[in-house]
């Protein structure tokens, strides 16, 4: 099944062409640099830029895939969660294409797309995957661990109480003056530092049974530590920044690891697979730790096959749409609408 998919949920204008779970093209035009001066995503700017770029990105995805529109079986689009006015741009384009070219339309949950992103271009297919499996999304907007009873049926095991992991890493990077979005640069600096130097507190230690990911307390501790160093030394040295980056990353990943570990240990059924998606899943240290978690519980851990599949993209929307199409889950172009607070797993 060949699907043209669109994602405009945040600050990436993205379109992809997929054939079942194989990627034929995957075009992502990021606006990150345009939002950097505001220290975060400006919704009205995101909407305008999506409007300016959506036609270009869609045409480029078709050209790169070498598929004419006649060969496309369905159009898929992210309907949520995301920024309402940004989602609207992708939905409008998908509706237009579906109506004009008489194609079926598929509404996709962005979180489900992240969960299923390891299926893209992978040997890991639905045929050899065993359920229940686990899905972990670590992105700028969400941190959530779900039990996948089967594809399309999710149960939330743990979720964020305040900031998402990516958001927390971005805020820590901003405190250190490293720019936005800061997750990747924080990772680079963290490699040069000592994770135990500042002993930032691991969030919710001993309270893993609450099944909550929480980073607000850790951010406050980081801020206090920065103020304390500034009061003593005047300014942060390069080594201070490396050590703070390393300490923050270490504490935030340890917390993630502990909550996931608790949830797996308390799953009644044997879990064979853990699928990990979202922007932070590009982080090498995080991957190392999650592989370690996999070894501990004898679970196969899968990540998106390439870096441009970790952050927001439309190829993962195409993969989720393929599974929905198999279940006959199409929507009417007249009634499709954005669902900015769409959840996964009840
Ligand atoms: O999945 P994504 O594009 O956004 C949402 O759907 O929300 O993820 C973006 C997030 C940002 O917070 C960014 O800083 C983080 O992913 N990120 C990273 C890395 N690359 C991107 N965080 C840690 N290490 C990285 N290498």
């Amino acid at each position: 099944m060949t699907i043209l998919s669109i994602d405009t949920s945040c600050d990436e204008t993205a379109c992809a062409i997929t054939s079942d779970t194989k990627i034929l093209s995957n075009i992502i035009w990021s606006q990150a640099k345009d939002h950097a001066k505001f220290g975060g995503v400006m919704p009205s700017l995101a909407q305008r830029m999506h409007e300016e770029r959506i036609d270009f990105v869609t045409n480029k995805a078709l050209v790169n895939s070498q598929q004419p529109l006649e060969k496309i079986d369905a159009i898929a689009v992210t309907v949520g969660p995301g920024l309402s006015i940004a989602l609207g741009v992708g939905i409008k384009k998908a509706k237009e294409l579906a109506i004009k070219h008489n194609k079926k339309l598929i509404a996709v949950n962005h979180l489900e797309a992240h969960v299923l992103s390891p299926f893209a271009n992978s040997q890991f297919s639905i045929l050899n995957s065993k359920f229940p499996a686990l899905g972990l999304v670590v992105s700028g907007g969400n941190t959530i661990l779900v039990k996948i009873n089967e594809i399309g049926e999710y149960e939330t095991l743990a979720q964020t109480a305040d900031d998402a992991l990516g958001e927390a890493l971005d805020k820590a990077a901003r405190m250190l003056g490293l720019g936005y979005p800061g997750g990747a640069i924080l990772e680079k600096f963290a490699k040069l530092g000592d994770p135990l130097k500042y002993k930032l507190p691991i969030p919710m230690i001993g309270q893993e049974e609450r099944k909550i990911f929480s980073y607000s307390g850790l951010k406050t501790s980081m801020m206090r530590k920065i103020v304390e160093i500034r009061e003593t030394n005047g300014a942060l040295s390069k080594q201070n920044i490396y050590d703070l980056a390393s300490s923050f990353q270490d504490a935030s990943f340890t917390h993630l690891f502990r909550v996931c570990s608790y949830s797996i240990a308390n799953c009644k059924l044997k879990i064979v697979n853990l699928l990990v998606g979202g922007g932070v899943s590009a982080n090498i240290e995080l991957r190392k730790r999650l592989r370690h978690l996999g070894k501990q519980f004898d679970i196969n851990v899968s990540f998106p096959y390439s870096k441009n599949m970790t952050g927001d993209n439309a190829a993962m929307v195409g993969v989720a749409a393929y599974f929905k199409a198999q279940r006959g889950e199409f929507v009417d172009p007249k009634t499709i609408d954005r669902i900015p607070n769409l959840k996964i797993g009840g």
Side-chain angles (χ1 to χ4, degrees), residues 35-76:
H35 294 280
K37 52 184 170 291
F38 304 106
V41 178
M42 281 280 287
S44 56
L45 178 63
Q47 177 193 23
R48 183 162 56 75
M49 299 196 95
H50 285 315
E51 284 167 349
E52 286 167 6
R53 296 171 173 189
I54 189 76
D55 289 342
F56 176 85
V57 165
T58 307
N59 291 334
K60 193 160 170 55
L62 281 165
V63 169
N64 283 19
S65 72
Q66 300 182 321
Q67 300 294 308
L69 247 171
E70 305 81 70
K71 287 259 178 78
I72 302 293
D73 299 307
I75 309 292

Side-chain angles (χ1 to χ4, degrees), residues 149-183:
N149 292 323
E150 56 185 88
I151 291 188
E153 201 194 306
Y154 307 94
E155 236 175 88
T156 301
L157 297 182
Q159 61 190 318
T160 185
D162 37 61
D163 283 1
L165 176 57
E167 192 181 359
L169 295 170
D170 288 344
K171 286 178 181 164
R174 196 157 69 202
M175 289 181 213
L176 297 173
L178 305 181
Y180 169 87

